[in-house]
Amino acid sequence: MTTPDPAVPDAPGPDAPPPVTPKDHGRAGRDLPAAIGSAVVLVGLILLSLFFWKTAFMAVVAIAVAVAVWELHQGLSAKDVDIPEQPLMLGGVVMVVVAYYWGAPALVTATAVTALVIMLWLLRRGVAGYVKNATASVFTLVYVPFLASFVALLLGEGGTTPAFGLDTDDLGVRGVITFIAITVASDTGGYIAGVLFGKHPMAPVISPKKSWEGFAGSMVATIAVGVWLVTSFLGGDWWVGVILGVIAAVMATLGDLCESVMKRDLGIKDMSQVIPGHGGLMDRLDSLLATIAPIWLVLYYLVF
């Protein structure tokens, strides 16, 4: 009797189903029809909420924060890190709301209080793993709700009085549209240039598909969109658009790379599969979260 070698898999029987081969999406690296369809739905939801009742956009941001916290909880659990979802979600929503209605000082206070509450919450679990889970929780708090709250700060620049219908003079709405458009331009310009011309990897160990040619495409796209929107949409100087473009290209790329490092460290491909063709929500928010704070700062001091 021959003892089977555990290192050699058994041969499939005659009735065994054919092996499943992962679908190759080529240099695009994603299912483009699904990705485009999802992007259209997301952009439509954002524009509808901004144009018809801008306060509803805060609900969109709050939901995005809650989903992102859930995704990070799922991803971190791969390394036996257990962050408390409920206080992080609740605290994140509170941070978004106070930032919108009461500004930056209220956001700082809400962030500090939420961090302390989370650390107290974790005391109930005992000593084992406290430092690891508390550190990951505060990291999540800053990375998602705190940075996302700058969108609320930007939208609040146009006032917080609830109003229905499109207000073309609302600086907050214009600022948010500018922020989203410039960041999307960075992703789109980098993606197109990378697919067409990418030959020199920027960080092959972290993100093999990201190239210096793609980064150049991001820079060109963000500067062009930045100058156009700042001069024609916000009434600012052209050089402010150049500054915004450079900041957006650099920060969006860094945000992408940081997200890639996190996923590689956690041993996962995507944070989740909630968005067809894109993976997880965090896979789409990485560049937005990285760009919002400096864009708000530039617009606040140089345009508003």
Side-chain angles (χ1 to χ4, degrees):
M1 182 177 180
T2 305
T3 302
D5 185 351
V8 181
D10 296 333
D15 298 326
V20 178
T21 303
K23 190 173 181 180
D24 182 13
H25 297 297
R27 296 187 67 180
R30 67 177 69 167
D31 184 349
L32 280 181
I36 293 172
S38 299
V40 169
V41 172
L42 290 174
V43 171
L45 177 63
I46 290 170
L47 292 179
L48 283 174
S49 61
L50 280 174
F51 287 159
F52 292 102
W53 186 31
K54 77 171 192 176
T55 306
F57 180 66
M58 287 298 92
V60 175
V61 176
I63 292 171
V65 165
V67 173
V69 168
W70 170 79
E71 286 187 344
L72 280 175
H73 178 268
Q74 298 294 108
L76 291 169
S77 64
K79 291 291 186 179
D80 295 323
V81 178
D82 186 13
I83 61 175
E85 288 179 289
Q86 292 80 7
L88 275 168
M89 289 180 180
L90 179 59
V93 171
V94 170
M95 289 161 61
V96 169
V97 172
V98 300
Y100 179 59
Y101 285 104
W102 295 291
L107 171 59
V108 173
T109 303
T111 303
V113 171
T114 303
L116 291 172
V117 169
I118 288 171
M119 288 189 284
L120 290 173
W121 183 284
L122 288 172
L123 286 176
R124 305 184 310 160
R125 299 180 183 177
V127 175
Y130 179 83
V131 172
K132 175 178 65 175
N133 293 327
T135 303
S137 299
V138 174
F139 164 76
T140 301
L141 181 71
V142 174
Y143 185 33
V144 179
F146 180 71
L147 292 180
S149 294
F150 279 85
V151 180
L153 291 177
L154 185 56
L155 187 63
E157 293 297 330
T160 58
T161 303
F164 294 90
L166 175 61
D167 183 2
T168 56
D169 295 325
D170 191 306
L171 283 179
V173 171
R174 291 186 173 217
V176 170
I177 292 174
T178 300
F179 147 66
I180 294 175
I182 291 177
T183 307
V184 170
S186 174
D187 288 345
T188 305
Y191 176 75
I192 294 174
V195 169
L196 295 178
F197 310 110
K199 292 182 180 179
H200 300 88
M202 176 178 287
V205 176
I206 299 173
S207 183
K209 291 182 179 295
K210 190 168 292 295
S211 64
W212 286 106
E213 290 81 2
F215 177 69
S218 293
M219 189 71 72
V220 171
T222 52
I223 291 176
V225 173
V227 171
W228 171 53
L229 288 177
V230 168
T231 56
S232 64
F233 196 49
L234 297 179
D237 297 319
W238 66 269
W239 54 269
V240 177
V242 174
I243 293 175
L244 283 182
V246 172
I247 288 175
V250 172
M251 296 306 296
T253 301
L254 290 176
D256 246 358
L257 291 174
C258 288
E259 182 77 3
S260 296
V261 168
M262 287 175 58
K263 291 188 290 186
R264 286 186 176 276
D265 185 30
L266 296 173
I268 57 178
K269 184 180 185 298
D270 294 312
M271 284 296 181
S272 75
Q273 295 296 327
V274 297
I275 306 179
H278 290 274
L281 185 62
M282 280 300 301
D283 297 300
R284 294 300 93 205
L285 290 181
D286 50 9
S287 54
L288 291 167
L289 290 173
T291 58
I292 178 56
I295 285 180
W296 170 80
L297 190 67
V298 171
L299 291 179
Y300 182 81
Y301 284 105
L302 299 182
V303 176
F304 298 153

